[in-house]
Amino acid sequence: MTSSHTLIGEEPEHLTRAGHRQAQVDPLAARRAPGDPPWDVYLTGTVFLDIIFTGLDSAPVRGTESWARGMGSSPGGVANMASALARLGLRTSLAAAFGDDHYGEYCWDALEQGEGIDLTPSRTVPGWHSPVTVSMAYEGERTMVSHGHEPPPEEPAPDCPPRARAAVASLTPGRRAPWIAQAARGGTRIFADVGWDETGAWDLAGLSDLEHCEAFLPNAEEAKRYTGADCPRLAAHALTEYVPVAVVTLGSEGAYAVDRRTGEAAEVPAIAVEALDPTGAGDVFVAGFVTGSLAGWPLADRLAFAGLTAALSVQEFGGSLSAPGWSEIGAWWRRVQSLPTQDPMALQRYAFLDRLVPEELDRPWPLRRAVPTIGFRGPG
């Protein structure tokens, strides 16, 4: 899209009170029917307490003290994905361990009460302290330091994973996650990403759970290393030998996807933005693609929506804090349409938003975003 889309790079003020859910659009309203699974998306993983320092002019220098102009705290880790899904109107269920300390209580409350996420499959572990990540954002990059321990193992409950339309899984090279096959056998559509292969093997045979997945969403470097292809677009086609839908994110170039079942391929350019903090952007992209997939949108629309939600997220600090909801999406869409310099052809790529975003969700631009701090309660 045109460079005029940098308008959404204007830095919003972070002053509103936290803990208020947005008015929601239900993107699956037309597809809901009696007997549907109770949840749209299920996911499991580790919840961190994220403490984010913002407003740093540069990276911290060894042996010196740096002062940040702002800070905030929020649930992180798998909570980034869960929050992104919930804010897009999907009924989200999360299985995670929470410490019985103040950090764990804060994260539980923020997810259950603040985001409306179902934590029935989750548990509180006595005597286990919550994992913590300190994130420092500067120059559009981030540096993170984390600490945590594995929670004690627990026998899986017979109703876990719960019935859901979809699940998001993070694959681990060389290790199966039994719940993925169990969910797939129950009719759940599995969307998977993967982290960096620290072993250096980059062997697709090591991603054995890929056989249960409907879609695989690596970034360009991961896709090329797993397939041996020089081009990420060729890598996407090669990946469809293992999974029906392959989506490869191309960074500043956008994203490319192939659907083996239909023979369809699509590429959508990135929206030009000034990135303040990329934390959680990949999770938000996946959440946007899952939303469009469950809603039955065309492949190109799913890519465009995923890219838009990720672009909106990188203009905010933090992981789960930065995930946009329909109010932000609606405000962006009204704003870009009002600019006389916008390329009509570029706008046409997002015309599908007209049928999704009602006028009453429109809000002034730039938006104010909450940055909650543990133990703080703003005015009523």
Side-chain angles (χ1 to χ4, degrees), residues 49 75 82 101 103 135 236 238 250-251 277 280-281 328:
L49 170 71
D101 50 19
Y103 293 170
S135 176
L250 308 174
D277 182 4
E328 285 88 347

Side-chain angles (χ1 to χ4, degrees), residues 183-343:
R185 286 194 297 269
T188 297
R189 300 162 65 180
I190 310 295
F191 296 77
D193 61 11
V194 67
W196 190 258
D197 187 353
E198 300 291 349
T199 70
W202 298 103
D203 182 8
L204 278 169
L207 300 180
S208 48
D209 281 326
L210 208 57
E211 65 180 313
H212 305 297
C213 297
E214 173 178 326
F216 183 43
L217 299 93
N219 63 34
E221 189 62 28
E222 292 161 350
K224 289 191 295 183
R225 287 177 180 264
Y226 271 116
T227 62
D230 294 330
C231 168
R233 295 162 183 82
L234 293 177
H237 286 272
L239 287 171
T240 59
E241 296 181 15
Y242 300 86
V243 66
V245 179
V247 182
V248 177
T249 55
L250 308 174
S252 61
E253 295 182 35
Y256 184 82
V258 184
D259 189 330
R260 182 186 69 205
R261 299 165 300 189
T262 63
E264 183 182 11
E267 181 167 358
V268 174
I271 297 174
V273 297
E274 179 183 353
L276 296 181
D277 182 4
T279 304
D283 295 326
V284 173
F285 182 94
V286 174
F289 190 82
V290 170
T291 299
S293 299
L294 295 183
W297 301 347
L299 187 61
D301 288 356
R302 285 182 266 165
L303 274 189
F305 186 73
L308 168 60
T309 54
L312 291 175
S313 78
V314 300
Q315 295 168 92
E316 298 284 349
F317 291 110
S320 61
L321 288 174
S322 69
W326 287 101
S327 292
E328 285 88 347
I329 294 165
W332 175 85
W333 180 230
R334 307 305 174 201
R335 172 65 169 160
V336 295
Q337 291 181 91
S338 71
L339 295 178
T341 56
Q342 285 291 357
D343 179 0

Side-chain angles (χ1 to χ4, degrees), residues 13-287:
E13 300 175 68
H14 305 273
L15 296 177
T16 56
R17 182 183 176 189
H20 288 258
R21 291 185 227 170
Q22 297 187 28
Q24 287 285 2
V25 169
D26 183 358
L28 307 188
R31 303 177 75 88
R32 298 197 185 280
D36 281 349
W39 306 111
D40 296 326
V41 188
Y42 167 79
L43 63 166
T44 184
T46 302
V47 172
F48 287 75
L49 170 71
D50 280 357
I51 300 173
I52 308 110
F53 289 99
T54 66
L56 290 165
D57 295 322
S58 61
V61 178
R62 181 178 179 179
T64 68
E65 181 179 15
S66 299
W67 279 83
R69 290 187 292 274
M71 70 161 289
S73 53
S74 67
V78 71
N80 294 339
M81 179 77 73
S83 297
L85 292 162
R87 291 185 182 187
L88 292 177
L90 299 186
R91 300 169 184 173
T92 303
S93 183
L94 170 64
F98 290 80
D100 64 350
D101 50 19
H102 289 308
Y103 293 170
E105 293 173 1
Y106 166 80
C107 289
W108 186 293
D109 181 69
L111 294 173
E112 185 178 58
Q113 302 301 322
E115 305 292 349
I117 295 167
D118 169 59
L119 297 181
T120 303
S122 295
R123 61 191 173 113
T124 297
V125 181
W128 180 66
H129 71 76
S130 301
V132 176
T133 292
V134 174
S135 176
M136 292 162 282
Y138 52 88
E139 300 173 351
E141 297 293 336
R142 59 177 174 168
T143 296
M144 298 188 295
V145 178
S146 297
H147 173 72
H149 301 279
E150 286 289 330
E154 180 185 59
E155 290 298 320
D159 57 348
C160 191
R163 289 180 60 233
R165 298 172 187 264
V168 179
S170 185
L171 304 184
T172 302
R175 190 168 68 191
R176 283 187 179 271
W179 73 265
I180 295 177
Q182 182 181 345
R185 286 194 297 269
T188 297
R189 300 162 65 180
I190 310 295
F191 296 77
D193 61 11
V194 67
W196 190 258
D197 187 353
E198 300 291 349
T199 70
W202 298 103
D203 182 8
L204 278 169
L207 300 180
S208 48
D209 281 326
L210 208 57
E211 65 180 313
H212 305 297
C213 297
E214 173 178 326
F216 183 43
L217 299 93
N219 63 34
E221 189 62 28
E222 292 161 350
K224 289 191 295 183
R225 287 177 180 264
Y226 271 116
T227 62
D230 294 330
C231 168
R233 295 162 183 82
L234 293 177
H237 286 272
L239 287 171
T240 59
E241 296 181 15
Y242 300 86
V243 66
V245 179
V247 182
V248 177
T249 55
L250 308 174
S252 61
E253 295 182 35
Y256 184 82
V258 184
D259 189 330
R260 182 186 69 205
R261 299 165 300 189
T262 63
E264 183 182 11
E267 181 167 358
V268 174
I271 297 174
V273 297
E274 179 183 353
L276 296 181
D277 182 4
T279 304
D283 295 326
V284 173
F285 182 94
V286 174

